Amino acid sequence: MINRFDVEGFITGFGNPVWAETHEPATVTAPAVKVLVEAGAKCVGKLHMDELAYSINGENKHYGTPVNPAAPNRIPGGSSSGSAVAVAANCVDFSLGTDTGGSVRVPAAFCGILGFRPSHGAISVSGVLPMAQSFDTVGWFAKDPKTLRQVGHALLQLPYSDSKQPRRVLIADDCFKLSLIPNEDVVGAVIRSVQKLLGRQVLQYINLGDFIRRNVPSLKELEKEISNGSPIGALTLLRTAMQLLQRWEFKENHQEWLENAKPDLSSDIAARVQAALDMKGDQVSLVQQIRNEARFAINDLLKNDTILVMPTVPDIPPKLGIKADFPDEFRARAFDLLSVSGMSGCCQVSVPVGEYNNVPTAVSLLAKRGSDRFLLDTVLTAYPTIQEEAKGASDRFSAEAAEMAKEKGNASFKEKDYKKAISHYTDAIRMDENNATFYNNRAMAYLQLCSFQEAEADCTKALGLDKKSVKAYLRRGTAREFLGYYKEANDDFRQAQILEPTNKTASEALARLKKLLI
């Protein structure tokens, strides 16, 4: 669990050393932690988090950045970064985190694991350092849906009930258009899974932004206050309302300590904290009204066992150390998506769905507030099929990307840039190591550079995949002839001639080698 939960006898550090220095050890363990220990879990430690839980990056300038096991050169996501990384790295079976604006869902998506944000108010946040009470939740991570469900049942104290199937599955079309990840295969994996498990009749499509604009009338008033005359999207307005209320509540919770302790904060978090401290209270009643309207409207949309499908985040995790454009652009698009459950109080689970550019991708399933058991049961049922469909989609994407890399290699070869051709063919092999043509083509480029041993090895690999490849026999024969392995070269050219009796290259080579072998 991250260092935001009280454990008796330990200081709750909140991701900042000054906070730890200015607070005493906890005298009582948080109920969320206690109930899990009583259910048989073992508490093995506290984990890193973003300072004051005010970031979704997962980076911490004081304690370092946990390494994302799924993409080591990219950020792990936050603020519950340590918890997500511990699960993704198989250090623990599950881990607790907190989710105010997205701090479980984002790192779950970035690390390729399951992350559950429960209905707001469903789990006690007593003994958890407050960030913004209107949105604070205790969430958790797991690698498999059975563990996710088991932890959820313990935390939520759910009585037994029969599991229910979704009666309607809504695909938020406009939300997927916000994503920079090609979503045909990502959302397609979910759609195909729904069709297999429940049938086509349960699937419907919705423009969620249009629905919110129609059913949350107070957004118009906010738009008047913040717009410079240009129209603002409904999801962006919803995100703005959430961020304003979050700032206000953060200020109410921590202004006194911030002004007295004057902690050293990273620049991006310091800017957010200052924006919170500078906020006036004149918009609070309006954004609270927007929250109330959104809560009613979205929960009404999801009544009668409905599941909403949307992206968890709008892009793959940014690379480590990128500061220039990431905060504003990525955070804005991310919170357009994350604000839906934040402002509605709905439960949401982030589910890994294959990879894009060798980095995890995810989708989210949402259910109405109070339907946590229903959502956990849905994930348990649907997860294996979603993973199966995602793997098929990932394999198709890899095959297409590999073919594209091969074509780039062919173009470089024609331009006689053989080193570049080898690089492209190597990329193709990395994406599809069972394609004989890729090894054959790389061998051809190696021959041009007189790299005969590498060419021989590639042809041998190609023949292991396709024993009737005439090109592989010819190119390996050529490599072996230059290496002085005349008998082996002769055997290769002979086999090429057997497979293709009219092959002129094989005939000429055999005639040439005949003189050398006398």
Side-chain angles (χ1 to χ4, degrees):
M1 63 185 163
I2 58 169
N3 205 359
R4 192 175 163 188
F5 291 85
D6 284 346
V7 175
E8 183 180 355
F10 294 88
I11 294 174
T12 308
F14 216 11
N16 182 272
V18 178
W19 181 280
E21 291 164 6
T22 54
H23 289 80
E24 297 296 320
T27 56
V28 179
T29 297
V33 176
K34 192 174 181 181
V35 73
L36 289 171
V37 172
E38 289 173 351
K42 184 179 181 181
C43 182
V44 295
K46 290 191 173 188
L47 298 158
H48 287 332
M49 59 176 288
D50 294 73
E51 295 179 84
L52 314 183
Y54 219 152
S55 174
I56 57 171
N57 294 24
E59 298 172 301
N60 188 305
K61 79 169 191 173
H62 305 289
Y63 303 119
T65 300
V67 177
N68 183 343
N73 65 334
R74 295 176 182 271
I75 63 172
S79 62
S80 303
S81 52
S83 293
V85 166
V87 171
N90 295 313
C91 296
V92 294
D93 297 321
F94 75 92
S95 188
L96 289 178
T98 57
D99 192 312
T100 302
S103 293
V104 165
R105 292 162 287 165
V106 173
F110 285 0
C111 293
I113 58 175
L114 291 157
F116 198 93
R117 174 195 164 96
S119 300
H120 185 254
I123 299 172
S124 171
V125 292
S126 175
V128 180
L129 290 176
M131 203 278 179
Q133 292 91 322
S134 288
F135 312 108
D136 285 345
T137 64
V138 172
W140 63 99
F141 303 91
K143 262 196 164 180
D144 68 273
K146 186 176 180 181
T147 303
L148 190 83
R149 183 174 181 264
Q150 187 177 0
V151 174
H153 280 219
L155 283 169
L156 294 158
Q157 299 288 285
L158 294 171
Y160 175 81
S161 66
D162 292 333
S163 61
K164 297 182 291 184
Q165 288 188 336
R167 295 161 63 184
R168 185 172 65 152
V169 177
L170 298 176
I171 308 295
D173 265 348
D174 57 322
C175 294
F176 281 101
K177 290 176 182 175
L178 286 174
S179 176
L180 298 181
I181 303 167
N183 286 295
E184 294 79 4
D185 288 332
V186 175
V187 69
V190 178
I191 291 171
R192 290 188 296 274
S193 299
V194 170
Q195 290 172 341
K196 280 186 177 181
L197 295 169
L198 304 171
R200 293 174 179 269
Q201 71 280 358
V202 304
L203 277 168
Q204 295 181 23
Y205 297 84
I206 185 173
N207 186 306
L208 189 60
D210 286 351
F211 173 84
I212 289 172
R213 185 175 289 279
R214 289 194 306 270
N215 291 278
V216 185
S218 294
L219 287 177
K220 294 179 181 177
E221 185 62 32
L222 180 62
E223 186 174 24
K224 289 178 184 176
E225 292 190 12
I226 65 173
S227 173
N228 58 4
S230 302
I232 302 175
L235 291 174
T236 298
L237 289 168
L238 193 70
R239 175 249 298 173
T240 302
M242 184 183 80
Q243 290 177 327
L244 289 171
L245 186 53
Q246 182 183 19
R247 286 175 190 168
W248 178 254
E249 292 181 352
F250 180 85
K251 176 182 178 179
E252 293 280 287
N253 290 325
H254 302 302
Q255 181 176 16
E256 182 179 352
W257 175 79
L258 286 163
E259 291 179 346
N260 290 333
K262 295 180 173 52
D264 176 26
L265 302 171
S266 62
S267 58
D268 55 333
I269 292 175
R272 271 173 233 130
V273 167
Q274 192 59 53
L277 294 176
D278 291 343
M279 186 178 168
K280 309 300 180 186
D282 51 335
Q283 291 178 312
V284 173
S285 60
L286 173 60
V287 294
Q288 287 175 334
Q289 179 63 24
I290 291 171
R291 179 200 59 194
N292 295 340
E293 292 172 1
R295 182 162 290 190
F296 177 83
I298 295 171
N299 280 281
D300 188 60
L301 175 69
L302 300 183
K303 65 185 179 184
N304 298 326
D305 304 328
T306 297
I307 293 289
L308 176 66
V309 181
M310 61 188 296
T312 305
V313 287
D315 202 354
I316 58 176
K319 290 185 177 180
L320 289 166
I322 294 178
K323 293 289 184 182
D325 299 324
F326 166 70
D328 292 337
E329 182 186 353
F330 183 90
R331 282 177 60 86
R333 286 187 288 114
F335 281 109
D336 281 356
L337 300 170
L338 296 165
S339 65
V340 174
S341 64
M343 290 293 275
S344 67
C346 293
C347 48
Q348 177 175 347
V349 59
S350 181
V351 179
V353 187
E355 294 183 341
Y356 174 67
N357 286 346
N358 297 315
V359 179
T361 59
V363 295
S364 274
L365 311 181
L366 285 75
K368 76 171 186 175
R369 189 180 183 196
S371 295
D372 302 73
R373 172 189 279 277
F374 167 61
L375 186 56
L376 287 166
D377 287 345
T378 298
V379 174
L380 183 67
T381 301
Y383 185 81
T385 308
I386 291 174
Q387 296 311 301
E388 180 183 325
E389 292 295 333
K391 184 179 185 306
S394 180
D395 289 346
R396 287 193 296 275
F397 173 79
S398 292
E400 291 170 3
E403 192 65 26
M404 187 178 298
K406 183 201 78 172
E407 292 302 325
K408 289 180 179 178
N410 291 349
S412 296
F413 188 90
K414 288 179 181 178
E415 294 171 358
K416 298 185 178 182
D417 190 343
Y418 303 122
K419 288 184 178 180
K420 191 172 182 181
I422 288 169
S423 176
H424 288 308
Y425 293 138
T426 301
D427 286 341
I429 290 167
R430 179 177 52 80
M431 290 181 273
D432 183 0
E433 61 183 15
N434 295 314
N435 190 307
T437 300
F438 300 161
Y439 291 100
N440 254 327
N441 287 13
R442 189 169 69 174
M444 176 177 64
Y446 276 134
L447 287 173
Q448 297 298 320
L449 295 175
C450 298
S451 299
F452 301 120
Q453 288 181 330
E454 290 83 354
E456 181 192 25
D458 270 357
C459 291
T460 300
K461 181 68 176 179
L463 288 167
L465 297 167
D466 180 6
K467 295 185 184 303
K468 295 185 178 181
S469 174
V470 174
K471 289 181 179 179
Y473 282 115
L474 292 173
R475 290 168 187 166
R476 189 170 70 173
T478 301
R480 286 175 167 179
E481 184 178 356
F482 276 103
L483 289 168
Y485 307 150
Y486 300 132
K487 183 180 181 304
E488 291 82 357
N490 188 77
D491 291 343
D492 282 335
F493 290 124
R494 178 71 63 194
Q495 188 61 36
Q497 190 178 57
I498 291 170
L499 291 169
E500 195 176 288
T502 60
N503 190 286
K504 187 177 178 181
T505 301
S507 299
E508 291 176 350
L510 287 168
R512 184 172 62 249
L513 286 167
K514 185 177 180 181
K515 297 176 184 178
L516 295 173
L517 290 169
I518 292 175

